[in-house]
Amino acid sequence: MFLTVSRAHADANMVINPGLESLDGQGFPQCWERSGWGDSDYTFGVTNAAHSGSNAMQIAITRITSGDRKAMMFENPTCAPAVTPGHQYSLSVWYTTNTPDTVFTMFRHDTTAGWQYWTDGATLPVTTSYRQGQVMTPVVPPNTDQITWGITIYGVGTLVTDDYSMTDAAGTQPPPCTGSAAACGKGSWTVQTFQSPVRAIHSAMLPGGKVLLIAGSGNDPTAFAAGTFTSTLFDPSTNRFTNIPTPADFFCAGHVQLPDGRLLVMGGNKDYPAADGSHGYEGLASSYIFDPATDTYTRANDLNAGHWYPSATEMGNGDVISLGGLGADSSGTVATEYYSLAQGRWLGLNEAHQTWSYWGLYPSMVLMQDGRLFYTGSHVFGNGLPGAGASIYDYNASTITDVPGLQQKDARDQSMSVMLPPAQDQRVMTMGGGNIVTNVDADRLTDIIDLKQGSLSYQAGPMLPGGTMTDGTAETAAQGKMYVSAVLLPDGKVFETGGGLHNRADPVFEASMFDPATNAFTPGMATDPVPRTYHSSAFLLADGRIMAVGNNPGDGSFDTRISIYSPPYLFHGTRPAITAVTNQNWTYGSAQSIAVDSTIVKAELIRPAAVTHSSDPNQRFVDLPISVQTNGIQLNVTTNPNLAPPGWYMLFVVNAAGVPSIAQWVHLS
């Protein structure tokens, strides 16, 4: 059954002069302005080929080398519709166009910063007869009092529009809580009756929802000496484990999903530190690929150097860049490793672009929308890199540019960095951290950067909420945590959990919910009863719950208990369901049809986890603007593969109460 998105209780049209019948002194519709930028030949006009009434607007572009043209509502109190922060609005227009280069465009008025570009919505299909285009806005951010919107044309062609409509789609109030008051406000943890058969140091979700838990030797020199290397495949739907033969010591390797759903694993542990101190940990140069179709590892060609604690980031073309870690001689590895998807191999040292820079251990390298990498300053073991602690790395140009603003850059050991929802906003948050060399108290710092800005700089974010220690003692105002886990949720929030005050010691029991729309934490979420410090992970499951594994304190023990967190949204009414996905294979810039069983206000793609040591630089939430068509719902896929690198994603839809569906798996290429 196809259903529209949620409509408001009051469906009054908020657009001034929606039918374009009132003209100004220059013969153009009142409250509408001719807008755009760039180099093009174009005309704006009024035509009597209207959908209703006498007038419609027409934009024609006959030549274009850059920019766009659009008819927008005037940015003034009279013409721009007033909006309420936290609400969403349903926008519609009747149109004809003979170019596929047409899209909804929205601007918003910030009460402090003034008018600014907000987002692009649905792309409008070519049609020679009038057709209604509809889209749902994102949730209106705080401090926004008005928006304007219109249709942009950015290719050669002619666009005609008429009969604009905007209604408040905030929907009804959330339904009553279906669980305990505590669960409705804080969520609920359950420690499973079974335990992991391996030391789950690495966690990677595979297409379909199974989770590969990798131990290698599991930080156990005895297992290493015996050549006992382990992995297990966990199925959350049945709670069953499958032993996976493991060919090398993947303890502290790097990993990332390839576009076809296989997991690329690079590096790992060649040797533990020598008793006589002659060498420290040594990195492997080998690389393997885990294939979920056969549940087996196969060897890829070797890296150019050893890597123990390397990063791994998928690029917009499906290739992988791996940086950092320790080499086969225990020294820092300076080789840039580049995996070519087309060639199915790691390029040779002289084939890959090199800067010969040492990036530390598990440097968090986040792909930006322009194809460069942002080193967030999150890393493992001791101090970070020289400079301000964060930087922009341009692989193609072989340049590194310092980025200022990161607070206490040498106290961000095992902090965690995430690209905040949605990826289109290009905002990255780094939270917590410490320093295992000086062993200072971990901090409560967070920093946020907007990667769309011309002059990049971190800005201080809100402090992490304080927690309690094992004995129930509250942390001081300055104390925070390292070994932080942060998980992107389908409702657009970030759940932060786990951590400790010192290196492999002093667990901190605290969890909070960060809302990117308000830049604020909601403290006091339910806490995992199991301590989660060194070698712990938390990640999103396809059913919207969170799974947490691991804990490896300084006494060498390892906690193999598994905890599952049900966020508050699972206690606020019936979940929407995706009843059909017309096409499982999606392409960039496409509009994809789905069917749902109830009203929804949001849809997104979330990349499955591949996390270890508070590090998953590929984690991201990609917004899918919603169009309502006569035959159902269409989701509009970004045209930019740097926003959503190719591969398998979890598709969620969310209703007005913030309750998500169970995910459906789709492949983007």
Side-chain angles (χ1 to χ4, degrees):
M1 174 163 136
F2 290 99
L3 294 173
T4 63
V5 292
S6 174
R7 305 276 305 186
H9 46 276
D11 281 327
N13 190 356
M14 303 169 67
V15 178
I16 305 300
N17 194 20
L20 314 174
E21 298 304 302
S22 299
L23 304 182
D24 60 20
Q26 298 179 337
F28 203 67
Q30 290 181 356
C31 273
W32 297 85
E33 64 172 329
R34 306 166 182 87
S35 184
W37 66 280
D39 178 21
S40 62
D41 295 332
Y42 61 90
T43 58
F44 285 88
V46 173
T47 174
N48 60 8
H51 173 255
S52 69
S54 301
N55 297 330
M57 281 190 296
Q58 177 174 292
I59 310 173
I61 295 180
T62 56
R63 181 195 62 84
I64 185 167
T65 57
S66 65
D68 61 47
R69 293 296 148 187
K70 46 188 170 278
M72 301 288 294
M73 303 165 191
F74 270 111
E75 295 176 344
N76 62 36
T78 300
C79 297
V83 294
T84 303
H87 285 218
Q88 290 181 279
Y89 293 83
S90 178
L91 314 181
S92 75
V93 64
W94 289 87
Y95 76 96
T96 66
T97 181
N98 59 10
T99 171
D101 301 328
T102 13
V103 65
F104 277 89
T105 298
M106 306 168 214
F107 288 74
R108 70 180 187 90
H109 183 258
D110 187 283
T111 54
T112 301
W115 283 102
Q116 52 194 262
Y117 167 75
W118 187 14
T119 188
D120 281 343
T123 298
L124 298 177
V126 171
T127 178
T128 56
S129 58
Y130 270 104
R131 179 174 177 175
Q132 188 178 32
Q134 293 182 275
V135 70
M136 181 74 66
T137 72
V139 174
V140 175
N143 304 319
T144 302
D145 58 359
Q146 290 180 291
I147 68 169
T148 66
W149 59 279
I151 308 301
T152 294
I153 177 172
Y154 57 95
V156 172
T158 300
L159 166 71
V160 178
T161 56
D162 195 6
D163 292 336
Y164 287 74
S165 175
M166 174 176 168
T167 58
D168 189 337
T172 59
Q173 293 297 313
C177 176
T178 57
S180 68
C184 285
K186 301 179 179 181
S188 176
W189 285 93
T190 302
V191 179
Q192 304 304 293
T193 56
F194 52 87
Q195 298 189 20
S196 170
V198 305
R199 293 185 165 200
I201 289 174
H202 307 263
S203 304
M205 184 175 287
L206 306 171
K210 293 182 180 179
V211 181
L212 183 65
L213 301 175
I214 302 175
S217 63
N219 200 18
D220 182 353
T222 303
F224 178 82
T228 303
F229 311 133
T230 58
S231 305
T232 190
L233 192 62
F234 174 62
D235 187 343
S237 66
T238 63
N239 293 334
R240 292 181 178 176
F241 296 91
T242 302
N243 178 59
I244 303 296
T246 306
D249 191 3
F250 297 147
F251 166 53
C252 297
H255 37 64
V256 63
Q257 290 94 346
L258 293 173
D260 61 6
R262 295 177 301 159
L263 186 75
L264 178 64
V265 182
M266 70 286 304
N269 182 40
K270 179 185 175 186
D271 200 0
Y272 283 79
D276 62 5
S278 58
H279 66 80
Y281 283 100
E282 296 179 339
L284 285 173
S286 57
S287 179
Y288 289 80
I289 295 177
F290 181 80
D291 188 344
T294 60
D295 291 345
T296 57
Y297 291 101
T298 57
R299 187 156 184 169
N301 68 312
D302 285 357
L303 303 157
N304 294 290
H307 293 266
W308 184 74
Y309 280 66
S311 70
T313 303
E314 186 193 0
M315 308 301 286
N317 62 358
D319 293 350
V320 173
I321 290 179
S322 182
L323 297 162
L326 298 183
D329 60 357
S330 301
S331 64
T333 301
V334 298
T336 296
E337 307 282 6
Y338 192 96
Y339 183 84
S340 167
L341 180 68
Q343 299 181 46
R345 68 179 181 95
W346 295 98
L347 300 184
L349 196 63
N350 296 325
E351 295 177 280
H353 299 171
Q354 301 292 335
T355 60
W356 309 114
S357 300
Y358 178 53
W359 289 96
L361 305 181
Y362 284 135
S364 181
M365 311 294 290
V366 175
L367 179 65
M368 300 169 60
Q369 66 179 0
D370 62 8
R372 297 179 298 168
L373 293 175
F374 174 54
Y375 168 56
T376 69
S378 288
H379 61 277
V380 175
F381 289 172
N383 297 335
L385 302 180
S391 56
I392 300 294
Y393 170 47
D394 188 330
Y395 169 79
N396 292 316
S398 297
T399 58
I400 301 170
T401 306
D402 205 41
V403 172
L406 183 66
Q407 302 174 86
Q408 297 186 30
K409 74 180 187 71
D410 289 329
R412 310 314 287 270
D413 179 353
Q414 288 183 96
S415 58
M416 189 160 190
S417 297
V418 293
M419 179 168 280
L420 296 172
Q424 286 89 337
D425 285 354
Q426 291 288 284
R427 297 171 69 230
V428 173
M429 183 179 202
T430 294
M431 56 181 73
N435 188 309
I436 73 163
V437 175
T438 59
N439 208 29
V440 295
D441 288 353
D443 60 66
R444 299 175 56 204
L445 301 175
T446 76
D447 297 276
I448 301 174
I449 189 169
D450 184 346
L451 296 172
K452 301 190 306 296
Q453 298 298 315
S455 180
L456 295 180
S457 177
Y458 263 121
Q459 304 297 318
M463 290 287 192
L464 283 172
T468 59
M469 311 304 293
T470 302
D471 63 1
T473 302
E475 287 190 292
T476 68
Q479 291 176 326
K481 56 187 185 177
M482 57 199 302
Y483 314 120
V484 181
S485 289
V487 183
L488 306 184
L489 299 183
D491 65 353
K493 296 184 175 64
V494 182
F495 181 65
E496 167 273 313
T497 182
L501 187 59
H502 297 109
N503 175 36
R504 302 183 70 175
D506 303 323
V508 175
F509 295 87
E510 181 274 331
S512 64
M513 200 73 75
F514 180 77
D515 188 345
T518 61
N519 275 353
F521 286 100
T522 298
M525 293 293 109
T527 57
D528 189 343
V530 179
R532 302 290 182 192
T533 61
Y534 188 53
H535 289 154
S536 68
S537 300
F539 48 91
L540 181 69
L541 298 175
D543 62 8
R545 298 179 301 163
I546 292 171
M547 178 172 167
V549 295
N551 184 48
N552 191 188
D555 61 8
S557 64
F558 200 99
D559 199 319
T560 55
R561 286 178 290 175
I562 294 173
S563 302
I564 301 290
Y565 178 65
S566 296
Y569 53 53
L570 293 182
F571 301 95
H572 284 280
T574 303
R575 305 180 72 162
I578 303 171
T579 57
V581 177
T582 302
N583 179 16
Q584 191 180 38
N585 296 304
W586 292 13
T587 55
Y588 294 102
S590 63
Q592 298 293 334
S593 297
I594 67 168
V596 296
D597 71 345
S598 56
T599 55
I600 63 167
V601 298
K602 183 186 299 183
E604 73 275 344
L605 299 177
I606 297 183
R607 185 179 172 99
V611 60
T612 186
H613 292 77
S614 300
S615 181
D616 185 0
N618 299 283
Q619 185 179 194
R620 60 184 56 211
F621 172 119
V622 183
D623 182 50
L624 296 170
I626 297 173
S627 299
V628 182
Q629 307 296 333
T630 56
N631 63 340
I633 292 173
Q634 285 193 346
L635 306 179
N636 295 275
V637 184
T638 178
T639 59
N640 186 353
N642 294 323
L643 286 177
W648 287 92
Y649 285 82
M650 294 180 284
L651 166 65
F652 289 95
V653 297
V654 183
N655 67 19
V659 182
S661 66
I662 293 174
Q664 297 287 324
W665 288 87
V666 297
H667 186 256
L668 182 59
S669 65

